[in-house]
Amino acid sequence: MASPLILCVVGARPNFMKMAAILPALREAGLATALIHTGQHYDFAMNQSFFQQLALPLPDEDLGVGSGSHAVQTAEIMKRFEPVLTQRRPALTLVVGDVNSTLACALTSVKMGIPTAHVEAGLRSFDRSMPEEINRLLTDQIAALLFTTERQAALHLAREGIDATQVHFVGNVMIDTLRRLLPSAPIPAEALRRLLRDTPDQAEAAVETPWRGYGVATLHRPSNVDDPSVLRGLLEVLAELAQRLPIIAPLHPRTRKRMEAHGLEHFFSVPGLWITGPAGYLEMLGLLAGAKLALTDSGGVQEETTALGTPCLTLRPNTERPVTVDEGTNTLVGSDPQRVRAAAEEILLSGGKAGRIPELWDGQAAPRIAQVIRDWV
Ligand code: UD1
């Protein structure tokens, strides 16, 4: 008898590193898989570059939805995913993370009577103004199998009425991929050279900079980049900090667009502040591994810095990943420039807090997931 089909969904950048660990583990466990890409992210630097570096197989289908408002994007994914389910009739749809593709595909699947597994379930920021929090809450409510990365997640799910037998604490698949690929990550100088490939003037200046450490910054949350005064405040702190410690800031296209729309282009030419396009997975890993400090509003970077032991300041008032604060190297500072400045100074003086690796972030999360799914089907 043919092995039951597990339909695996990716859509946006943070999904790719997770699926890169899960797909081979499912196949290793003897399960049939198909990879469906919704097309939520589509630029080379946000998409194909990750497939190449992570050695992800090309998707069996790309739904090509692209960008849009939340309603348009979610609806378009649902419309295009439904026929895929009709045609392939999988035993299970597997979604990861908290992006619009996650919720859209889970909802479509469950309404067609096809159960869904959610990897990275139970994370809660308790901030319902974040689109990701809505995606997390709703996906978990309808998932049949829920895989968690940290112990607290099970408490949230229990409070929301989800049966404990559906919940499996397996660890963190992001860290499976990080451990596998860290040895292939370039040294920081090479990572920066690759990031500045298209701007020879900047590349030349970077080579001439006497590097004694550097920081890495990423910014893309709507709450940080859509309001011009918040974005300006954060860029000012980065520019100021860059006078003491060079800062490499690979930016999401959304942030670049907002900087241009809000008349903040002068930050592109601040000495010591290297604003580049989005980094590839390996370049980012190399940069984070060697950095004195990371400043970020990304969920993935909070986890990666904890795994790498790099001090991290999270530019948000809350996090859905509290283990990175309680046990890891992460500190929440919000987006108030004064607080960010003081916290960064503290790290430069003291070296930042020493963390430990959270439970089951051991590189074996994906095989645990595959085992549960094999038993389940
Ligand atoms: C999405 C996720 C967010 C995740 C982030 C990682 C949702 C609700 N948000 O946010 O949780 O942290 O991905 O990157 O799903 N754009 C491009 N090229 C691309 C993709 C996007 O230029 O390849 C620009 C477009 O202007 C687009 C904007 O970025 O409108 C936002 O893209 P979207 O996918 O809607 O959300 P992200 O901000 O990327």
Side-chain angles (χ1 to χ4, degrees):
M1 200 182 86
S3 181
L5 177 67
I6 314 299
L7 202 63
C8 298
V9 175
V10 291
R13 183 170 59 174
N15 297 161
F16 306 142
M17 349 0 178
K18 294 166 197 164
M19 201 54 81
I22 297 167
L23 260 188
L26 293 176
R27 290 179 181 173
E28 187 78 11
L31 294 159
T33 59
L35 180 63
I36 309 299
H37 192 327
T38 65
Q40 179 174 345
H41 283 177
Y42 44 86
D43 283 352
F44 181 85
M46 301 286 285
N47 183 37
Q48 290 96 325
S49 146
F50 284 79
F51 273 73
Q52 286 174 4
Q53 293 195 343
L54 296 165
L56 263 170
L58 284 179
D60 295 279
E61 288 186 56
D62 189 332
L63 309 182
V65 294
S67 301
S69 68
H70 286 278
V72 166
Q73 192 174 59
T74 308
E76 204 52 51
I77 296 169
M78 292 182 71
K79 270 167 63 186
R80 297 187 195 190
F81 190 53
E82 192 174 48
V84 177
L85 291 170
T86 307
Q87 195 208 339
R88 294 181 183 261
R89 293 309 305 181
L92 183 74
T93 298
L94 184 146
V95 297
V96 297
D98 55 17
V99 301
N100 285 346
S101 302
T102 310
L103 174 61
C105 292
L107 192 52
T108 313
S109 190
V110 169
K111 291 248 175 154
M112 289 179 68
I114 297 166
T116 297
H118 184 206
V119 174
E120 212 181 81
L123 296 180
R124 297 289 179 267
S125 66
F126 300 101
D127 174 357
R128 292 199 180 189
S129 67
M130 286 180 74
E132 294 81 3
E133 182 74 355
I134 305 301
N135 293 341
R136 289 190 278 262
L137 276 161
L138 299 182
T139 304
D140 286 343
Q141 273 302 313
I142 56 178
L145 286 175
L146 300 97
F147 295 105
T148 62
T149 54
E150 52 181 272
R151 285 204 181 269
Q152 264 193 49
L155 303 177
H156 303 147
L157 295 170
R159 209 176 302 129
E160 290 162 18
I162 291 160
D163 196 301
T165 56
Q166 294 169 249
V167 181
H168 302 270
F169 174 43
V170 291
N172 195 328
V173 289
M174 281 275 272
I175 306 308
D176 290 15
T177 297
L178 179 146
R179 286 183 170 230
R180 174 169 68 91
L181 289 178
L182 190 56
S184 313
I187 59 166
E190 169 60 14
L192 182 61
R193 195 188 64 76
R194 292 187 202 167
L195 280 175
L196 297 176
R197 208 168 6 215
D198 297 333
T199 49
D201 291 353
Q202 273 195 314
E204 202 176 312
V207 171
E208 283 164 12
T209 303
W211 294 86
R212 277 192 311 275
Y214 64 91
V216 176
T218 78
L219 271 180
H220 76 286
R221 294 272 159 217
S223 55
N224 279 337
V225 306
D226 287 358
D227 178 333
S229 64
V230 176
L231 181 56
R232 177 189 295 276
L234 288 171
L235 290 169
E236 277 169 359
V237 179
L238 295 183
E240 213 181 285
L241 201 57
Q243 305 318 304
R244 299 192 38 205
L245 179 76
I247 302 285
I248 303 166
L251 288 193
H252 188 292
R254 175 193 196 107
T255 311
R256 180 172 291 272
K257 283 176 195 165
R258 294 293 187 271
M259 286 175 70
E260 286 161 1
H262 301 325
L264 300 171
E265 294 98 326
H266 52 285
F267 286 102
F268 289 122
S269 46
V270 172
L273 179 58
W274 308 97
I275 296 184
T276 74
Y281 179 71
L282 293 176
E283 287 74 35
M284 194 62 180
L285 217 50
L287 288 174
L288 288 176
K292 274 196 178 354
L293 158 71
L295 303 107
T296 191
D297 56 11
S298 147
V301 173
Q302 293 174 54
E303 295 183 340
E304 288 162 346
T305 46
T306 276
L308 294 166
T310 302
C312 176
L313 296 179
T314 292
L315 309 173
R316 287 174 43 193
N318 50 52
T319 179
E320 60 287 340
R321 294 164 161 88
V323 78
T324 61
V325 176
D326 299 339
E327 298 181 26
T329 54
N330 190 16
T331 307
L332 291 181
V333 288
S335 48
D336 170 38
Q338 291 227 32
R339 256 191 95 189
V340 179
R341 192 179 295 119
E345 292 287 339
E346 170 74 28
I347 290 179
L348 292 187
L349 282 175
S350 74
K353 75 194 216 198
R356 62 169 187 266
I357 306 292
E359 188 181 358
L360 297 190
W361 289 24
D362 58 358
Q364 295 302 316
R368 288 186 197 106
I369 290 172
Q371 183 66 46
V372 172
I373 292 180
R374 202 176 56 177
D375 294 348
W376 182 87
V377 295

